[in-house]
Amino acid sequence: MDWSLLTCAFTGHRTYAPDEPELRERLRTATAAGEAWRCLRCADFTVGPAQGGGPADLAPDVSRGDHLRDVVVLRFFAVERLFRTVLLLLAAYAVWRFRGNREPLQQIFQRELPILGQAGLDVQHSRVLSWIQDALGASETTLRWITVALVAYAAIELVEAVGLWLLKRWGEYFAFVATGVFLPLEIHELTQRVTPLRLGALLVNLALLGYLVWTKRLFGLRGGRAAYEAERRNDSLVEIERAAMTGGKPWMY
């Protein structure tokens, strides 16, 4: 899949007119419909004036190629973490709101939050709700600590989601550490009983860890951050064309 073309189809092209004359001409052409400029993302020509201009070094940082694929993948994981945040907050609400209530928790959720059933969640056979149902019989102090733990866990997942969505380096490290810390617990649960949900959650987390380490070059792997940034610059259309002018390579690490 060409992520650059797909993104341009949904969000539009990004064009830029560099001040350097020779480089400017490599990104511009004349057509019967008027001047056309190469898109910095997909490299296709688009008719019309450039959206911006100035020194080549100040050209907008447009994600393209493999990096654009990374953006899509990381934001998928961000949405998945946000979904977990919502579930954990609902669990915290259930523990605190219905503490001491002997009515089956599944019935309470169906009555209080019918949207869960409409969304296709099987609250009748939810392992999380069953665990909470058992926990509701604990003391007031224990329930308070359970609520605090669930909210804290939700906060961790929310920070992960924000960091990954914003594509921040700290977010990638935070997601790696936070995900890795809970792996032993997930593996322990699988040793007790293998279910599609538990296995799927473990595989998703392992995929995230492997993806972050390999593609984002965390912890100095494959040259670390310097190599990653150099790779990004090498993918820039402006750098590719500038290198073609001189017969050299864009940026080297």
Side-chain angles (χ1 to χ4, degrees), residues 35-52:
E35 68 174 358
W37 292 86
R38 292 183 71 186
C39 173
L40 298 181
R41 182 184 294 115
C42 69
D44 282 349
F45 281 101
T46 178
V47 177
Q51 297 170 344

Side-chain angles (χ1 to χ4, degrees), residues 42-158:
C42 69
D44 282 349
F45 281 101
T46 178
V47 177
Q51 297 170 344
D57 290 339
L58 298 182
D61 183 14
V62 179
S63 298
R64 62 193 305 267
D66 290 343
H67 183 259
L68 187 57
R69 178 205 60 202
D70 292 344
V71 171
V72 174
V73 172
L74 290 182
R75 287 186 169 169
F76 164 80
F77 282 116
V79 171
E80 188 265 343
R81 260 41 184 180
L82 184 60
F83 180 71
R84 291 191 186 194
T85 300
V86 173
L87 291 182
L88 288 166
L89 290 177
L90 286 175
Y93 166 79
V95 171
W96 187 251
R97 171 69 174 79
F98 304 115
R99 62 191 184 281
N101 195 323
R102 296 186 178 279
E103 182 181 358
L105 196 60
Q106 289 86 351
Q107 296 180 18
I108 296 175
F109 263 67
Q110 286 181 329
R111 184 180 68 247
E112 300 279 344
L113 299 171
I115 192 173
L116 294 179
Q118 297 171 8
L121 296 178
D122 186 7
V123 295
Q124 287 289 349
H125 302 92
S126 170
R127 179 174 62 89
V128 174
L129 292 186
S130 297
W131 175 79
I132 297 173
Q133 180 73 53
D134 296 336
L136 289 178
S139 67
E140 184 80 11
T141 301
T142 300
L143 291 175
R144 185 180 295 113
W145 282 112
I146 290 176
T147 303
V148 170
L150 288 170
V151 172
Y153 192 7
I156 291 174
E157 295 290 344
L158 181 59

Side-chain angles (χ1 to χ4, degrees), residues 127 190 193-204:
R127 179 174 62 89
L190 279 175
R193 182 186 175 193
V194 177
T195 66
L197 181 61
R198 293 180 182 181
L199 183 60
L202 178 63
L203 292 177
V204 167

Side-chain angles (χ1 to χ4, degrees), residues 1-13 41 68 72:
M1 179 182 297
D2 191 325
W3 293 102
S4 298
L5 285 174
L6 183 64
T7 303
C8 284
F10 281 99
T11 65
H13 297 288
R41 182 184 294 115
L68 187 57
V72 174

